[in-house]
Amino acid sequence: MLTNYFTLLDQQPQQDGSILFTVKLNPDCEVYEGHFPGNPVCPGVCNLQMLKECIEHYTGKTLIISDIKQCRYTAVISPLTQSILNFKAMITEAENGYSVQGTVFDERNIYIDIKFQLTINI
Protein backbone atom coordinates (compact mmCIF):
# COMPACT_ATOMS: atom_id res chain seq x y z
CA MET A 1 0.00 0.00 0.00
CA LEU A 2 1.16 3.48 -0.79
CA THR A 3 1.01 5.68 2.25
CA ASN A 4 0.90 9.40 1.69
CA TYR A 5 1.30 9.13 -2.14
CA PHE A 6 -2.26 10.09 -3.03
CA THR A 7 -5.73 10.69 -1.67
CA LEU A 8 -8.81 9.27 -3.36
CA LEU A 9 -11.14 12.26 -3.53
CA ASP A 10 -14.10 10.73 -5.36
CA GLN A 11 -15.41 7.79 -7.36
CA GLN A 12 -18.45 8.17 -9.56
CA PRO A 13 -20.20 5.68 -11.85
CA GLN A 14 -20.50 6.95 -15.42
CA GLN A 15 -23.33 6.43 -17.92
CA ASP A 16 -21.12 4.18 -20.07
CA GLY A 17 -20.65 1.74 -17.16
CA SER A 18 -17.18 2.93 -16.23
CA ILE A 19 -16.06 4.41 -12.91
CA LEU A 20 -14.39 7.81 -12.70
CA PHE A 21 -11.91 8.10 -9.85
CA THR A 22 -10.47 11.48 -8.86
CA VAL A 23 -7.19 11.47 -6.95
CA LYS A 24 -4.96 14.12 -5.45
CA LEU A 25 -1.21 13.52 -5.53
CA ASN A 26 0.80 14.54 -2.48
CA PRO A 27 4.00 16.41 -3.48
CA ASP A 28 5.36 15.93 0.07
CA CYS A 29 5.39 12.11 -0.23
CA GLU A 30 8.74 10.52 0.61
CA VAL A 31 8.80 8.84 -2.84
CA TYR A 32 9.88 12.15 -4.37
CA GLU A 33 12.95 12.43 -2.15
CA GLY A 34 14.67 10.18 -4.68
CA HIS A 35 12.47 10.74 -7.75
CA PHE A 36 13.63 13.57 -8.15
CA PRO A 37 14.53 16.13 -5.45
CA GLY A 38 13.39 19.61 -6.46
CA ASN A 39 11.70 18.31 -9.62
CA PRO A 40 9.35 15.50 -8.52
CA VAL A 41 8.17 13.03 -11.16
CA CYS A 42 5.62 10.32 -10.38
CA PRO A 43 7.23 6.87 -10.65
CA GLY A 44 5.38 4.58 -13.04
CA VAL A 45 5.26 1.72 -10.55
CA CYS A 46 3.68 3.99 -7.92
CA ASN A 47 1.05 5.06 -10.43
CA LEU A 48 0.22 1.40 -11.14
CA GLN A 49 -0.13 0.78 -7.41
CA MET A 50 -2.38 3.84 -7.12
CA LEU A 51 -4.66 2.54 -9.89
CA LYS A 52 -4.82 -0.89 -8.23
CA GLU A 53 -5.72 0.71 -4.91
CA CYS A 54 -8.53 2.69 -6.55
CA ILE A 55 -9.98 -0.56 -7.92
CA GLU A 56 -9.57 -2.21 -4.50
CA HIS A 57 -11.50 0.65 -2.92
CA TYR A 58 -14.28 0.25 -5.48
CA THR A 59 -14.52 -3.57 -5.24
CA GLY A 60 -13.82 -3.90 -1.53
CA LYS A 61 -11.37 -6.71 -2.30
CA THR A 62 -7.61 -7.07 -1.88
CA LEU A 63 -6.15 -7.49 -5.37
CA ILE A 64 -2.89 -8.37 -7.10
CA ILE A 65 -1.87 -7.10 -10.54
CA SER A 66 -1.55 -10.40 -12.36
CA ASP A 67 -1.09 -9.27 -15.97
CA ILE A 68 -0.46 -5.97 -17.73
CA LYS A 69 -1.65 -6.28 -21.30
CA GLN A 70 -0.87 -2.68 -22.26
CA CYS A 71 0.59 0.28 -20.42
CA ARG A 72 1.44 3.47 -22.27
CA TYR A 73 2.82 6.46 -20.43
CA THR A 74 2.09 9.37 -22.76
CA ALA A 75 3.14 12.35 -20.61
CA VAL A 76 5.15 12.98 -17.44
CA ILE A 77 3.16 13.42 -14.24
CA SER A 78 4.47 15.77 -11.57
CA PRO A 79 2.57 16.34 -8.33
CA LEU A 80 3.53 20.01 -8.56
CA THR A 81 1.77 20.62 -11.90
CA GLN A 82 -0.78 17.78 -12.10
CA SER A 83 -1.88 17.37 -8.49
CA ILE A 84 -5.48 16.36 -9.38
CA LEU A 85 -5.90 13.43 -11.78
CA ASN A 86 -8.82 11.43 -13.10
CA PHE A 87 -8.75 7.69 -13.70
CA LYS A 88 -11.62 6.48 -15.86
CA ALA A 89 -11.81 2.69 -15.63
CA MET A 90 -14.01 0.10 -17.28
CA ILE A 91 -13.99 -2.75 -14.77
CA THR A 92 -15.21 -6.16 -15.89
CA GLU A 93 -15.47 -9.23 -13.68
CA ALA A 94 -13.15 -11.96 -14.90
CA GLU A 95 -12.15 -15.39 -13.64
CA ASN A 96 -10.71 -14.91 -10.12
CA GLY A 97 -10.73 -11.12 -10.40
CA TYR A 98 -11.20 -8.20 -12.74
CA SER A 99 -10.18 -6.99 -16.16
CA VAL A 100 -9.56 -3.23 -16.27
CA GLN A 101 -9.20 -0.85 -19.18
CA GLY A 102 -8.52 2.72 -18.21
CA THR A 103 -7.08 6.14 -18.84
CA VAL A 104 -5.44 8.61 -16.46
CA PHE A 105 -5.98 12.22 -17.49
CA ASP A 106 -6.67 15.80 -16.48
CA GLU A 107 -8.08 18.74 -18.41
CA ARG A 108 -4.82 19.12 -20.39
CA ASN A 109 -3.39 15.66 -21.08
CA ILE A 110 -3.79 11.93 -21.15
CA TYR A 111 -0.99 10.47 -19.02
CA ILE A 112 -1.57 6.73 -18.93
CA ASP A 113 -3.51 4.34 -21.15
CA ILE A 114 -3.69 0.89 -19.57
CA LYS A 115 -5.25 -2.58 -19.80
CA PHE A 116 -4.53 -4.97 -16.95
CA GLN A 117 -5.82 -7.94 -14.98
CA LEU A 118 -6.30 -8.02 -11.23
CA THR A 119 -6.58 -11.26 -9.30
CA ILE A 120 -8.33 -11.49 -5.95
CA ASN A 121 -5.74 -12.05 -3.22
CA ILE A 122 -7.10 -14.89 -1.12
Side-chain angles (χ1 to χ4, degrees):
M1 300 269 302
L2 290 175
T3 57
N4 202 30
Y5 184 73
F6 76 102
T7 301
L8 178 60
L9 299 176
D10 195 22
Q11 68 178 33
Q12 292 293 322
Q14 303 298 292
Q15 288 185 351
D16 65 0
S18 66
I19 304 297
L20 182 64
F21 299 94
T22 303
V23 299
K24 181 178 186 338
L25 299 173
N26 179 8
D28 297 323
C29 181
E30 62 278 358
V31 165
Y32 302 116
E33 292 174 11
H35 208 270
F36 298 95
N39 188 24
V41 175
C42 297
V45 68
C46 292
N47 291 331
L48 291 176
Q49 180 69 19
M50 177 179 68
L51 302 180
K52 179 187 83 89
E53 289 182 21
C54 286
I55 305 297
E56 287 179 326
H57 185 270
Y58 173 72
T59 63
K61 298 187 180 349
T62 303
L63 303 167
I64 298 169
I65 297 174
S66 54
D67 188 23
I68 299 174
K69 306 226 179 258
Q70 172 187 312
C71 185
R72 281 186 268 186
Y73 294 93
T74 56
V76 174
I77 303 171
S78 169
L80 298 179
T81 56
Q82 294 88 23
S83 64
I84 305 291
L85 295 172
N86 298 299
F87 171 39
K88 185 174 181 181
M90 184 64 74
I91 305 166
T92 308
E93 286 194 45
E95 185 177 337
N96 299 322
Y98 301 91
S99 177
V100 180
Q101 182 173 344
T103 304
V104 176
F105 63 96
D106 65 12
E107 64 278 351
R108 294 171 291 192
N109 287 307
I110 294 175
Y111 298 98
I112 303 170
D113 186 29
I114 189 164
K115 294 178 186 174
F116 61 110
Q117 299 292 126
L118 296 165
T119 302
I120 297 171
N121 188 8
I122 301 173

